[in-house]
């Protein structure tokens, strides 16, 4: 797998894209650690803070197709640059907020828009335009692993920063980290601001985008991809937002939550790399079906086990193997169905569906724990949705993988 991306001009693009995703996803996936400190300091309440984080889940997804369209039309460089700047501004302003509307603006809108504009759809789309077809699957796995590495690095780092400098100082440090990723953009996009492989003239680009978009929206397989990814978003957002609360309900220290999130990220590095390699050997819809079914089984196991720190760590590793490893096979199906020219736009739309599920996962989790005192009903809903996602992927129209066999001498 790594040999495939060691070609001249390929390695730099892939590693730079992975580095940017490491920062944006690392920051984004660490916000659950700030829920209790912000609540303790401001008294806003878990429902209000959960709602702001739910808005962030929704906006992160909503900005993906918009960022994809802008990147396909004007090039990815300005989209990535503004994204990182907006993310830094959102982190830097949040400590000055003392009411729920302000928190919705900074965390729900600014950080979500910034991290979304510099996330999967634009990065994978930009890399796909500059890489040969035979390495795109492996490259998407490595880029995706960068996001997982970010979670592994930033979760314990953010927890340590909160302990040492308080949640305000920790957010200012995250703002600096977002700005530090800006120099990597040129490696991903090259020196030109223009969209790669675009037809000359903007009118030609527009003429090709909208028919492709209409064709995708009327395609049954594309709709099933959205359904499966919706469930993935529900699952991921619920856990990244409320796992610290679940740990607290079980009477365990906050460090168990931060290390659990870190272990999810570490395990997903392996999961993402394997998923990126597997899409060239197996049909992506089968990979996705197995991933979603495994989540249902794992959650069932967790509910039956005593709630010790090792239960959380084992649960985290199991989750991490499929956490965001769904991205390479999902992007691969979209690319197979509609090509790579507008992959940033079309994959951005699937990420929007992902984050509609994310909105519900984050917000309903806050409502559930407030109403019932625990997350039991959310776990049951998660199992049901995971099984639905597994079933939804099987009818997707995807050609069999052609295997080239060596001819006898």
């Amino acid at each position: 797998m790594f040999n495939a991306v060691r070609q001249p001009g390929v390695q730099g693009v892939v590693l730079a894209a992975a580095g940017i995703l490491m920062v944006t996803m690392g920051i984004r996936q660490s916000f659950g650690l700030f829920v209790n400190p912000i609540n303790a300091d401001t008294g806003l309440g878990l429902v209000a803070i959960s709602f702001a984080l739910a808005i962030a889940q929704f906006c992160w997804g909503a900005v993906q197709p918009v960022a994809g369209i802008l990147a396909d039309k004007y090039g990815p460089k300005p989209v990535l640059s503004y994204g990182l700047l907006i993310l830094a501004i959102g982190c830097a302003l949040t400590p000055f907020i003392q009411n729920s509307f302000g928190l919705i603006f900074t965390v729900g809108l600014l950080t979500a828009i910034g991290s979304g504009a510099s996330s999967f759809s634009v990065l994978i789309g930009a890399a796909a335009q500059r890489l040969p077809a035979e390495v795109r699957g492996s490259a998407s796995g490595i880029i995706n692993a960068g996001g997982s590495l970010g979670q592994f690095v930033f979760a314990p780092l953010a927890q340590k920063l909160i302990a040492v400098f308080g949640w305000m100082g920790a957010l200012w440090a995250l703002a600096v980290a977002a700005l530090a990723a800006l120099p990597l953009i040129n490696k991903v996009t090259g020196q030109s601001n223009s969209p790669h492989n675009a037809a000359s003239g903007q009118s030609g680009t527009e003429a090709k985008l909208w028919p492709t978009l209409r064709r995708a929206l009327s395609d049954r397989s594309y709709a099933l991809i959205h359904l499966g990814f919706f469930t993935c978003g529900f699952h991921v957002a619920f856990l990244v937002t409320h796992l610290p609360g679940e740990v607290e309900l079980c009477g365990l220290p906050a460090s168990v939550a931060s290390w659990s999130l870190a272990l999810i990220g570490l395990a997903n590095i392996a999961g993402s790399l394997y998923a990126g390699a597997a899409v060239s050997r197996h049909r992506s819809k089968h990979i996705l079906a197995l991933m979603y079914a495994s989540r249902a089984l794992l959650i069932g196991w967790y509910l039956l086990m005593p709630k010790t720190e090792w239960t959380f760590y084992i649960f985290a590793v199991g989750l991490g193997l499929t956490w965001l490893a769904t991205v390479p096979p999902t992007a691969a199906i979209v690319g197979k169905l509609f090509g790579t020219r507008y992959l940033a736009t079309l994959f951005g739309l699937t990420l929007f569906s992902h984050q509609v599920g994310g909105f519900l996962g984050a917000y309903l989790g806050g409502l559930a724990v407030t109403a019932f005192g625990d997350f039991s009903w959310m776990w049951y809903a998660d199992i049901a949705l995971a099984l639905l996602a597994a079933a939804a992927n099987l009818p997707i129209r995807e050609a069999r993988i052609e295997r080239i066999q060596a001819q006898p001498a």
Side-chain angles (χ1 to χ4, degrees):
M1 176 180 181
F2 292 104
N3 289 334
V5 299
R6 285 175 181 165
Q7 302 176 26
V10 171
Q11 190 174 43
V13 173
V14 173
L15 293 180
I20 294 172
L21 192 61
M22 180 186 77
V23 173
T24 59
M25 289 300 292
I27 293 173
R28 178 176 173 268
Q29 298 282 44
S30 299
F31 270 103
L33 299 171
F34 290 86
V35 171
N36 288 335
I38 291 175
N39 184 42
D41 196 24
T42 64
L44 291 176
L46 290 177
V47 172
I49 298 171
S50 294
F51 184 69
L53 291 176
I55 291 291
Q57 294 287 344
F58 181 84
C59 288
W60 185 86
V63 80
Q64 297 283 336
V66 176
I69 290 171
L70 293 174
D72 285 336
K73 185 174 180 180
Y74 299 110
K77 182 185 290 187
V79 177
L80 292 170
S81 299
Y82 283 117
L84 288 171
L85 287 171
I86 294 170
L87 173 59
I89 291 170
C91 290
L93 289 180
T94 298
F96 299 103
I97 299 303
Q98 294 295 318
N99 58 69
S100 58
F101 292 105
L103 195 66
I104 289 171
F105 176 69
T106 58
V107 174
L109 295 178
L110 291 182
T111 65
I113 290 171
S115 59
S118 48
S119 191
F120 293 108
S121 59
V122 175
L123 288 168
I124 290 179
Q129 295 290 342
R130 297 191 67 201
L131 301 178
E134 64 271 15
V135 304
R136 286 174 189 155
S138 298
S140 67
I142 294 171
I143 294 169
N144 194 59
S148 303
L149 180 61
Q151 186 169 331
F152 174 70
V153 171
F154 277 81
L157 176 61
Q159 186 68 57
K160 187 66 174 178
L161 289 169
I162 291 170
V164 175
F165 301 108
W167 67 271
M168 295 181 179
L171 282 171
W172 288 325
L174 295 183
V176 173
L179 295 176
L182 285 168
L184 296 174
I185 293 174
N186 278 342
K187 280 287 188 179
V188 178
T189 64
Q191 297 299 318
S192 173
N193 287 333
S194 301
H196 300 294
N197 298 334
S200 60
Q202 292 179 1
S203 60
T205 301
E206 292 170 0
K208 293 179 181 180
L209 171 59
W210 301 113
T212 302
L213 189 56
R214 285 193 295 270
R215 180 165 64 91
L217 293 175
S218 63
D219 190 291
R220 178 172 174 266
S221 293
Y222 191 56
L224 291 172
I225 294 170
H226 281 248
L227 177 59
F229 226 33
F230 167 89
T231 294
C232 182
F234 181 95
H235 177 86
V236 168
F238 164 57
L239 285 167
V240 79
T241 304
H242 295 293
L243 186 62
E246 174 78 354
V247 168
E248 185 177 28
L249 286 173
C250 295
L252 297 171
S255 59
V256 174
S258 62
W259 279 111
S260 294
L261 290 173
L263 286 171
I264 289 173
L266 181 63
N268 196 230
I269 295 172
S272 295
L273 294 175
Y274 178 77
V279 297
S280 62
R281 302 195 303 270
H282 307 285
R283 283 199 278 185
S284 295
K285 66 177 187 177
H286 293 155
I287 298 170
L288 289 169
L290 287 172
M291 286 181 177
Y292 292 132
S294 72
R295 290 182 182 183
L297 293 173
L298 186 62
I299 293 169
W301 173 87
Y302 166 77
L303 293 177
L304 295 173
M305 294 298 292
K307 303 305 182 286
T308 67
E309 61 183 90
W310 282 105
T311 296
F312 278 98
Y313 295 153
I314 294 169
F315 183 52
V317 171
L319 285 172
L321 293 174
T322 67
W323 184 250
L324 291 174
T326 55
V327 170
T330 302
I333 294 175
V334 176
K336 289 177 185 178
L337 291 175
F338 308 107
T340 62
R341 175 61 187 88
Y342 298 110
L343 180 60
T345 301
L346 296 176
F347 185 51
L349 283 171
T350 66
L351 282 166
F352 177 58
S353 295
H354 186 279
Q355 293 313 116
V356 172
F359 171 87
L360 293 174
Y363 185 49
L364 293 179
L367 291 179
V369 74
T370 301
F372 304 111
D374 61 31
F375 296 102
S376 296
W377 285 105
M378 291 297 294
W379 292 118
Y380 300 146
D382 219 357
I383 291 174
L385 287 172
L387 293 174
L388 175 63
N393 274 273
L394 295 176
I396 289 174
R397 172 174 53 88
E398 182 186 8
R400 295 181 181 274
I401 301 295
E402 295 184 6
R403 303 186 188 279
I404 301 174
Q405 297 180 348
Q407 297 297 322

